Amino acid sequence: MKKKIFAIVLFLAVLVLCVVRWNTWFGNPPESAYDPLPHVGRVLLTVGPNENERFVSWQCGDSAQSGWLDYLPMGQSDTVTIATMGKVFHSRAGVGAFFSALMKDLRFDTSYEYRIRVGADTTEWFSFTMPKQDASYAFLYFGDVQDELDEMGLDTLLPEIMKKNSDASMLLFGGDLIERPMDCFWGKVFSTLSPYAQQYPVVSVPGNHEYLKGVVRRLEGRFPLVFPYYGELGPEDNALFSFSMGDARFFLLDSNKDFWSYWSQRYWLEEQLQQCKETWKIVILHHPIISIKGAANNFLVKQFFDGIVRDYGVDLVLQGHEHGYARFNVECDESGDMKEPLRLVTFCSRKEYPLAFHGDVARWGTDSRYYQRISVSDTMLSLETYTADHQLYDRVHVKKLNGHRVCVSDQVEAPERVYVSDWFRKNKSAKRVKEFEENIAKWRSKSSDSEGASH
């Protein structure tokens, strides 16, 4: 009898919880009605399946009409034209036509011009430069952005970032590029990224904010249309892709999927890593394999992917989602060689979440927007982290030489930034603020004790 009563009470408690939390767990804010772009716009350059290929995507109108991409090496006259057909996408509040074209057999160390034509509409000529083959290069990495419409966010930072990093070969995003899967937020993103999105390849994995919530979550259809390297998503709609750039191969995962998709993702990643011939292996996924919010967070992500990135010699894992900065220490064997990848959790958003201060973390960070410059050569991978005021905050190198792989951290002058931010104080309850302050105080006390013991 007691067991029966307990089961009924438990059922009712779960039912009440589902009713109270339904919108939070399964609901989506309504999308405002919008008009399709009357002219070609939201042009984005990104990578293709092969290193000497580049996709371009754009939007125009609301019908499946023909479009063309013209391109040629800068200073020459032999124009190549690619014909394509628009794909009409019906969102919850509007309709738009998305186009993409793949430029093949591009020459390395060569600058190109391209333009787009749809009907009588013709864009200006854009330009980009293919990197030198097998040469050293650098790319930029950003964690969650998800700027609000009225917010001065990455759009105020990016011009200065690009001015300081005009040699970057790519802009890479770790998901939650948009605040919600709505046209207005896509407009915000393209306003932020222009004109760089037409000049530098832009690559992103999906985050949970690119998803529509529900009993079964699904990636909102605009994302793979903006980033056409995903192609036609398979039956399980896993957004998976790998591509090479110089001495590195990048593996894009979709950690937002319901857990039953992780088996096929794990199989795909294992197969891709086995076939990898590049020197450096870099995995990008939205949810951290080792959470910085709590030891139990992302439990299934860790169970499915932690062993793979360890066993197959992944060198760097780039992550986001948890709106804090953490660069993990690297476990080494007796000879000093790395036994696991260098792991980074980072964010470029005003939103901040409390940190749990667990795990073997070398460098924590809050109260800023962070971005990374990552340099790749045949023997060294270097990661530099900068704050929103473009100050060097963290730096670490992974070196490969004569069969050895070692990780070396460079000390930087900037003190560790671990504070309760103004945003957190304004947007969270007094109880949550107090809890975070207490967690920080405990962490500082432990850090002081550890430093004292080491001396």
Side-chain angles (χ1 to χ4, degrees), residues 163-355:
K163 183 178 179 181
K164 294 175 179 292
N165 297 276
S166 60
D167 63 334
S169 294
M170 172 177 59
L171 279 65
L172 179 61
F173 292 87
D176 281 6
L177 179 59
I178 55 176
E179 170 58 19
R180 294 291 173 191
M182 302 178 185
D183 183 78
C184 58
F185 290 114
W186 278 114
K188 174 73 171 181
V189 164
F190 276 98
S191 174
T192 296
L193 293 181
S194 292
Y196 314 108
Q198 294 88 51
Q199 303 173 35
Y200 301 85
V202 177
V203 178
S204 182
V205 297
N208 55 293
H209 279 245
E210 278 82 38
Y211 265 68
L212 286 172
K213 292 186 285 186
V215 177
V216 176
R217 292 167 289 183
R218 61 185 177 89
L219 180 61
E220 211 260 355
R222 276 171 282 208
F223 191 82
L225 293 172
V226 171
F227 297 102
Y229 50 76
Y230 284 121
E232 298 293 333
L233 297 180
E236 295 186 45
D237 289 338
N238 284 319
L240 307 174
F241 183 66
S242 77
F243 67 97
S244 64
M245 186 173 286
D247 286 309
R249 177 159 286 273
F250 299 79
F251 306 89
L252 312 186
L253 295 176
D254 184 3
S255 60
N256 313 277
K257 295 288 291 181
D258 293 298
F259 73 90
W260 49 81
S261 76
Y262 290 169
W263 274 282
S264 58
Q265 292 199 42
R266 177 188 169 95
Y267 175 81
W268 175 86
L269 180 60
E270 185 173 19
E271 186 176 52
Q272 290 286 319
L273 289 170
Q274 287 173 343
Q275 297 171 1
C276 179
K277 295 179 174 60
E278 286 77 12
T279 302
W280 303 102
K281 302 172 184 177
I282 301 174
V283 168
I284 307 96
L285 71 166
H286 186 59
H287 292 76
I289 294 175
I290 299 176
S291 172
I292 60 174
K293 288 183 65 178
N297 270 28
N298 309 333
F299 174 78
L300 290 174
V301 175
K302 182 177 181 180
Q303 294 304 307
F304 275 90
F305 300 115
D306 190 42
I308 292 290
V309 299
R310 287 173 177 266
D311 294 344
Y312 286 91
V314 171
D315 301 290
L316 177 64
V317 180
L318 298 171
Q319 304 146 115
H321 184 62
E322 296 186 336
H323 290 244
Y325 179 83
R327 194 253 300 167
F328 285 75
N329 277 309
V330 174
E331 183 182 356
C332 300
D333 61 22
E334 295 177 355
S335 65
D337 286 0
M338 294 169 58
K339 293 173 62 177
E340 59 178 322
L342 174 65
R343 306 168 190 260
L344 181 79
V345 180
T346 186
F347 69 114
C348 195
S349 168
R350 66 170 182 163
K351 299 179 183 178
E352 295 195 34
Y353 302 152
L355 304 176

Side-chain angles (χ1 to χ4, degrees), residues 145-159 161 188 192 348-350 369 388:
V145 175
Q146 48 186 126
D147 287 333
E148 298 283 358
L149 298 179
D150 58 352
E151 182 181 357
M152 304 300 285
L154 183 60
D155 52 353
T156 64
L157 297 179
L158 196 57
I161 293 173
K188 174 73 171 181
T192 296
C348 195
S349 168
R350 66 170 182 163
R369 291 174 182 257

Side-chain angles (χ1 to χ4, degrees), residues 361-403:
V361 172
R363 186 81 159 158
W364 293 99
T366 65
D367 194 29
S368 186
R369 291 174 182 257
Y370 297 88
Y371 67 93
Q372 286 69 43
R373 177 186 169 94
I374 301 172
S375 303
V376 178
S377 73
D378 58 345
T379 59
M380 187 161 69
L381 186 152
S382 298
L383 184 150
E384 295 177 329
T385 293
Y386 293 87
T387 55
D389 55 357
H390 313 292
Q391 298 301 306
L392 180 63
Y393 184 72
D394 194 13
R395 180 166 52 204
V396 63
H397 312 284
V398 178
K399 300 179 180 180
K400 286 186 179 181
L401 196 61
N402 299 325

